[in-house]
Amino acid sequence: MYITVVILPLIGSLISGFGGRLLGYYGASIFATSCVGLSFFLSLLIFYEVGFCNSVCYISLSSWISTGTLTVNWGFLFDAVTSVMLIVVTSISTLVHMYSISYMENDPHCPRFMSYLEIFTFFMLVLVTADNTLQMFLGWEGVGLASYLLINFWFTRLAANQSAIKALVVNRIGDFGLSIGIFALFYIFNSVDYLTIFSLTPFFQNYCLSFLGIDINTLTFIGVLLFIGAVGKSAQLGLHTWLPDAMEGPTPVSALIHAATMVTAGVFLIIRFSPLVEYSSTILGILIIFGSLTTFFAAMTGTFQNDLKRVIAYSTCSQLGYMVFACGLSCYNVSMFHLTNHAFFKALLFLSAGSIIHALSDEQDMRRMGSLSQFLPVTYSLMLIGSLALTGFPFLAGFYSKDFILELSQIGTNSNLNNSIAALSCWLGTLSVLFTSFYSFRLIYLAFLNNSNSSKKVLTSVHESNLLMLIPLLILAVGSIFIGYLTKDFFIGFGTNFWNSSIFILPYNANFIESEFLEVQIKWLPFLLSTFGIILATIINLSRFYILINWNFHNFFAFLINKKWFWDFIYSRFFIYPILTFGYNITLKNLDRGFIELAGPYGVMNFIPTWANLIKKLQTGQITHYIFFMILGLCSFFILFYLIENLQFSMFLYFVLMFFI
Amino acid sequence: MYEQINYLNTSTALFLISIIGIFLNQKNILIMLMSLEMMFLSISFNLIFSSILIDDIVGQIFSLLILTVAAAESSIGLAILVIYYRIRSVITVELMTLMSG
């Protein structure tokens, strides 16, 4: 059962990929969906067995690499974290598959699409079930590859190609850090197995590594490298630029990659490495800083985006920031809880967006939508549920996790704890709540409630999606409403033994109980802010704030944010363009085709004929010259012999010769 | 002792003069052949003197053989010269540059 969960998507992928033409459109889709669906049911059983019955399962299949001290096995570790990830990945994947059957109906390459989705799920499962870093890295890279294939699914579009390459390359930067981190882990611990590494970590708490002549704490060093990997995958500030661009893929792909699976891999990595990260307070600080900055930046950027999917993409980025700084606050279980909830409501939002886009014949710009609540009542209500869950409306999924994260960050502002960085996360995280609810409801107003801006042609063909698309949405909506309430107690309840030893929190850092003693006003703060955001969005959209349109500062600000704070511009101006120029002008033109060719093939090719011509000219035809050379040869022959016989003297002669020459 | 050095010097000087005669001669191929004869003579000279000096007859036999070879060689050389003159009507060494590289 345990291995089958992982293998089933692979089988589904291979059969629907290679036998797509044989199975036909519906055959391939249904086969793929049923494979991943079966995998979902098995992972439910695993969840029950591992999570509730507390029987951690460890399977070592066979040896993979075995040379010297490096021994890597094909091993699978099913503990609580893995079982939760399994549920998240397979459930969202199943629903996305089901949704795609109808969404991709008119696409000629549907079996290929299904195959890619399936291989994506497979690699994600490899990532979460691995028991060593190397196998995890296999899944990690595989997920990157699958995301490339999926974003690039409509490969005839230039934008899709560009974004796919961007996604792959930007992810590769993070993977570079991660791979160095894995090397460092092996260098320190002589093993890549999680269990070995984690059990040895406390011994290396004060161990220093000399890097470039500077002594760095080993655990900090490794943690930073692992975090660089997580930054790439989870689109944290710095390497976040690929995530909004990845919206070029089909909408179910966005739902799968950018809500439930790929981007959560980075957070999963941090949670998995909690026994290591926990021992370095520097790393926790970095997590808090980057996480909270990402939260704030992405939430702010989301507010003035006009593309329907981009708004949701930035919201994903922002929510991932919450998860990361929750890890930085040592609340890995809360982070995991938010990950689970987020997967449900974000998949709901993405798939609803897909439903809108489908209804409006592939129109993604929110400025050309409006009054869709009359045409798409079901999608409207689903989207509303998703948005409310996202804003943390009480008793929906987001409320239980996000508010708890914010409460925990409020504890950090307590001066007794000496964690001054946590105050940053508190302020930025709490402010982001305002932006989150603002952009969510801006989306709702622009798409559903304002007057319509669509053309008549589009409006006459608007239709509610068919049942096959709506059923996954309904299931996700039910999940978004109830999942937080249902799973709260055993995920983050006080004294729960659900996580067993899969998550490690130093007693020094565990502050759960303090959150119970916060003041009531502070506990109400996130709710008040999100309500304020909703009201703000309502006022601006209903009463038409004309003053804003003529306000210079507003226009400048809106432009700046709409252009994503010019991150992409700065990157292309200061990194990509100089590197490309360097690559073309210096490495290619000057080195490869210049210097090396001049010294290598071209040089030899020119050198030999030139000298051959010179030597040819020695044969002048004059007999006297020939005789001269004969005598010269004879003389030098004698001199040579003479030199060999009296070496001491020859050196002197040699110097004399050199002098004259 | 004086005689020994003298004969060596004489034959070497003759040899060098003949080499210079071949080498510096630009005008006349006849002079070149004459220098060649002189080179043979200097070598024969050397051989005969050394055969006397070390009291060995082989040197003298060898010089006789060299005389024969020199005679044959100069006759063939002159024959070539005559044929060349018949074709080109000059015997200037400088102008023999048809075979340049």
Side-chain angles (χ1 to χ4, degrees):
Chain A
M1 176 174 85
Y2 287 90
I3 303 296
T4 320
V5 170
V6 184
I7 297 297
L8 264 175
L10 180 66
I11 296 169
S13 166
L14 291 178
I15 290 181
S16 62
F18 288 112
R21 285 184 188 281
L22 216 70
L23 288 169
Y25 163 65
Y26 279 108
S29 326
I30 289 166
F31 182 76
T33 312
S34 53
C35 267
V36 77
L38 201 59
S39 185
F40 170 57
F41 283 113
L42 289 177
S43 53
L44 274 179
L45 293 178
I46 290 174
F47 186 68
Y48 172 72
E49 217 173 271
V50 174
F52 292 151
C53 303
N54 285 333
S55 73
V56 174
C57 182
Y58 182 88
I59 301 168
S60 192
L61 271 189
S62 67
S63 175
W64 179 13
I65 300 167
S66 178
T67 55
T69 51
L70 176 67
T71 323
V72 186
N73 292 328
W74 287 106
F76 296 89
L77 173 65
F78 292 86
D79 57 2
V81 172
T82 303
S83 67
V84 173
M85 285 303 284
L86 278 181
I87 290 285
V88 170
V89 172
T90 50
S91 61
I92 303 296
S93 181
T94 310
L95 295 173
V96 167
H97 272 78
M98 212 195 276
Y99 181 88
S100 306
I101 295 176
S102 170
Y103 190 83
M104 302 299 282
E105 205 163 26
N106 299 323
D107 200 285
H109 296 286
C110 189
R112 183 165 67 93
F113 185 71
M114 287 293 167
S115 171
Y116 288 169
L117 282 184
E118 203 87 1
I119 200 86
F120 188 90
T121 315
F122 167 69
F123 277 124
M124 194 64 200
L125 293 180
V126 169
L127 198 162
V128 297
T129 57
D131 81 327
N132 56 58
T133 45
L134 214 61
Q135 198 179 327
M136 186 274 294
F137 195 66
L138 174 76
W140 189 274
E141 291 296 307
V143 167
L145 168 76
S147 79
Y148 171 78
L149 293 172
L150 280 171
I151 295 166
N152 204 6
F153 180 71
W154 289 317
F155 52 82
T156 46
R157 293 172 59 219
L158 180 65
N161 287 323
Q162 285 172 335
S163 342
I165 290 169
K166 189 174 181 183
L168 199 69
V169 170
V170 175
N171 264 306
R172 203 57 74 247
I173 297 170
D175 297 346
F176 177 65
L178 179 62
S179 53
I180 294 176
I182 292 172
F183 297 149
L185 277 174
F186 181 69
Y187 176 67
I188 303 294
F189 296 103
N190 265 325
S191 168
V192 288
D193 282 352
Y194 286 152
L195 301 181
T196 318
I197 293 168
F198 296 157
S199 51
L200 287 177
T201 305
F203 297 106
F204 287 90
Q205 204 175 351
N206 297 317
Y207 186 81
C208 278
L209 197 73
S210 181
F211 179 72
L212 298 176
I214 309 159
D215 280 346
I216 310 171
N217 186 301
T218 313
L219 298 183
T220 309
F221 181 65
I222 292 170
V224 167
L225 291 170
L226 293 178
F227 178 61
I228 290 171
V231 165
K233 230 12 144 210
S234 287
Q236 296 299 297
L237 200 65
L239 298 178
H240 66 278
T241 50
W242 66 274
L243 187 68
D245 283 12
M247 293 298 121
E248 291 297 334
T251 313
V253 172
S254 312
L256 189 61
I257 298 181
H258 311 294
T261 48
M262 185 167 167
V263 291
T264 59
V267 180
F268 167 77
L269 180 77
I270 299 169
I271 294 171
R272 174 58 91 200
F273 273 85
S274 61
L276 194 144
V277 172
E278 194 67 355
Y279 281 101
S280 165
S281 55
T282 320
I283 277 302
L284 294 177
I286 291 173
L287 287 180
I288 291 174
I289 291 170
F290 272 86
S292 45
L293 283 177
T294 311
T295 307
F296 186 64
F297 162 79
M300 210 171 187
T301 313
T303 48
F304 283 102
Q305 295 299 314
N306 291 320
D307 190 312
L308 180 64
K309 279 166 78 181
R310 248 162 227 237
V311 174
I312 308 174
Y314 273 109
S315 133
T316 305
C317 206
S318 161
Q319 298 303 311
L320 285 164
Y322 275 106
M323 292 175 212
V324 168
F325 83 66
C327 287
L329 293 165
S330 301
C331 310
Y332 304 96
N333 48 357
V334 187
S335 177
M336 198 70 197
F337 185 43
H338 192 50
L339 195 156
T340 317
N341 292 344
H342 171 256
F344 280 94
F345 61 70
K346 197 47 65 72
L348 173 63
L349 282 174
F350 266 121
L351 294 183
S352 310
S355 179
I356 297 170
I357 292 164
H358 204 55
L360 288 177
S361 34
D362 297 333
E363 179 57 62
Q364 288 197 22
D365 199 326
M366 287 200 296
R367 289 168 298 188
R368 294 215 204 146
M369 294 177 184
S371 64
L372 286 177
S373 58
Q374 265 107 60
F375 300 102
L376 308 169
V378 183
T379 310
Y380 170 56
S381 44
L382 292 169
M383 195 91 175
L384 196 63
I385 290 170
S387 296
L388 286 172
L390 174 66
T391 54
F393 196 77
F395 314 119
L396 294 180
F399 171 70
Y400 290 100
S401 51
K402 199 160 85 173
D403 276 16
F404 195 53
I405 291 178
L406 289 170
E407 279 174 20
L408 288 166
S409 70
Q410 289 283 3
I411 299 168
T413 57
N414 194 338
S415 54
N416 296 335
L417 293 172
N418 290 324
N419 194 352
S420 49
I421 306 170
L424 177 78
S425 70
C426 169
W427 286 111
L428 293 183
T430 313
L431 263 179
S432 305
V433 171
L434 173 70
F435 288 110
T436 306
S437 59
F438 180 78
Y439 65 66
S440 300
F441 279 85
R442 179 172 171 268
L443 190 154
I444 296 275
Y445 274 105
L446 282 175
F448 292 105
L449 298 177
N450 283 356
N451 289 334
S452 178
N453 286 326
S454 311
S455 61
K456 190 186 169 192
K457 196 179 164 212
V458 172
L459 275 182
T460 45
S461 65
V462 168
H463 56 282
E464 188 73 84
S465 308
N466 61 16
L467 214 56
L468 205 56
M469 273 164 84
L470 287 179
I471 287 171
L473 286 177
L474 289 170
I475 296 170
L476 282 172
V478 171
S480 304
I481 297 170
F482 293 111
I483 207 92
Y485 174 70
L486 288 176
T487 56
K488 180 180 189 284
D489 258 358
F490 58 83
F491 274 10
I492 57 168
F494 191 70
T496 173
N497 63 345
F498 177 79
W499 299 107
N500 264 335
S501 56
S502 59
I503 283 176
F504 175 79
I505 300 170
L506 274 181
Y508 175 77
N509 288 338
N511 296 323
F512 294 108
I513 217 161
E514 268 85 349
S515 66
E516 302 300 324
F517 294 99
L518 283 173
E519 287 173 40
V520 182
Q521 291 94 321
I522 289 174
K523 288 201 170 203
W524 275 90
L525 187 65
F527 174 69
L528 290 176
L529 278 174
S530 62
T531 318
F532 180 62
I534 296 171
I535 292 166
L536 203 66
T538 314
I539 290 170
I540 287 173
N541 278 292
L542 289 189
S543 68
R544 300 259 171 263
F545 251 92
Y546 287 112
I547 186 166
L548 284 180
I549 295 166
N550 296 322
W551 190 23
N552 266 336
F553 176 71
H554 167 265
N555 286 347
F556 168 72
F557 201 62
F559 183 74
L560 187 69
I561 289 177
N562 183 262
K563 293 292 170 198
K564 308 153 203 165
W565 288 97
F566 289 98
W567 271 92
D568 286 276
F569 175 76
I570 289 165
Y571 274 179
S572 41
R573 184 76 179 73
F574 292 105
F575 291 100
I576 299 164
Y577 189 70
I579 288 171
L580 284 180
T581 320
F582 181 85
Y584 181 68
N585 282 336
I586 298 191
T587 29
L588 180 73
K589 273 168 87 176
N590 285 352
L591 284 179
D592 266 12
R593 305 179 82 179
F595 177 71
I596 292 171
E597 289 220 337
L598 211 65
Y602 272 121
V604 173
M605 213 175 82
N606 288 330
F607 176 82
I608 289 173
T610 316
W611 278 91
N613 275 327
L614 278 177
I615 291 167
K616 203 175 76 179
K617 284 192 181 135
L618 285 177
Q619 301 184 324
T620 49
Q622 294 279 1
I623 292 168
T624 5
H625 294 170
Y626 295 157
I627 292 163
F628 170 71
F629 284 120
M630 281 155 92
I631 294 162
L632 194 74
L634 201 69
C635 290
S636 51
F637 205 60
F638 282 140
I639 289 171
L640 196 73
F641 272 99
Y642 183 76
L643 290 183
I644 289 166
E645 276 176 19
N646 332 330
L647 210 67
Q648 203 63 42
F649 183 62
S650 73
M651 292 307 285
F652 170 73
L653 253 182
Y654 179 71
F655 283 119
V656 170
L657 259 172
M658 287 299 288
F659 181 75
F660 279 112
I661 289 167
Chain B
M1 200 64 189
Y2 172 75
E3 286 170 348
Q4 287 173 19
I5 296 167
N6 204 27
Y7 92 80
L8 268 177
N9 282 348
T10 316
S11 61
T12 311
L14 268 176
F15 189 77
L16 286 178
I17 288 166
S18 60
I19 280 179
I20 288 166
I22 292 173
F23 185 47
L24 295 182
N25 170 37
Q26 299 280 313
K27 298 286 176 198
N28 203 336
I29 202 161
L30 212 56
I31 293 170
M32 208 177 246
L33 283 171
M34 283 152 73
S35 299
L36 214 59
E37 282 304 309
M38 205 162 109
M39 198 186 280
F40 279 118
L41 277 177
S42 73
I43 289 165
S44 303
F45 199 59
N46 199 350
L47 278 170
I48 289 162
F49 266 109
S50 48
S51 90
I52 290 165
L53 195 72
I54 59 174
D55 198 14
D56 190 350
I57 200 74
V58 176
Q60 293 173 29
I61 294 167
F62 216 83
S63 74
L64 277 173
L65 286 174
I66 286 173
L67 283 178
T68 325
V69 170
E73 193 249 64
S74 58
S75 62
I76 292 168
L78 281 169
I80 291 170
L81 176 71
V82 168
I83 290 165
Y84 185 78
Y85 181 74
R86 198 189 288 162
I87 295 166
R88 293 286 303 267
S89 308
V90 281
I91 51 166
T92 316
V93 181
E94 271 180 332
L95 301 176
M96 294 180 178
T97 54
L98 292 176
M99 290 283 282
S100 64

